[in-house]
Amino acid sequence: MRQIILDTETTGIDPLSGDRIVEIGAVEMIKRKLTDNNYHQYVQPERDVPQEVIEVHGITNEFLRDKPLYRDIAQEFFDYIKGAELVAHNAPFDTGFMDNEF
């Protein structure tokens, strides 16, 4: 069984109001053993990250300025997670953002 344990950081809490992903981190497990096949990407959200959110995750607008857009990494990320069971602490939050981005 292939599992991907993932987490995202975002510009806020509601993808339907325009909040976007700014960071994706994921690790792969096969048969419940970690592999070295990890995925990490910062993403330019095409909007400002509010100061109160920066205080939570520390990812600044200046830092994100030269990062790729989600549409530029979407296929690579999709290929990485394809066919795997996704595991996340607050899965509805993460998958809600992923669904909105895809």
Side-chain angles (χ1 to χ4, degrees):
M1 170 191 279
R2 181 171 180 256
Q3 296 175 305
I4 301 294
I5 296 84
L6 67 90
D7 188 33
T8 61
E9 297 298 342
T10 66
T11 62
I13 62 171
D14 186 7
L16 299 179
S17 73
D19 287 321
R20 305 285 304 273
I21 291 174
V22 298
E23 183 181 22
I24 303 166
V27 297
E28 178 186 65
M29 289 180 67
I30 297 179
K31 297 182 182 178
R32 300 202 181 268
K33 294 190 188 304
L34 289 171
T35 70
D36 288 329
N37 185 13
N38 303 324
Y39 183 90
H40 181 257
Q41 182 66 60
Y42 290 105
V43 181
Q44 165 49 253
E46 300 182 277
R47 65 167 290 167
D48 283 341
V49 181
Q51 184 59 39
E52 62 269 16
V53 177
I54 293 170
E55 291 172 12
V56 172
H57 56 49
I59 302 170
T60 66
N61 293 300
E62 181 177 306
F63 176 77
L64 294 170
R65 194 160 286 122
D66 66 346
K67 304 305 182 251
L69 303 176
Y70 191 89
R71 66 178 162 265
D72 296 330
I73 60 97
Q75 187 63 54
E76 174 185 76
F77 179 53
F78 180 78
D79 291 345
Y80 177 77
I81 64 174
K82 184 177 179 182
E85 175 185 37
L86 300 180
V87 179
H89 169 68
N90 187 359
F93 179 85
D94 293 312
T95 58
F97 272 91
M98 289 166 45
D99 288 346
N100 191 62
E101 294 283 3
F102 281 124

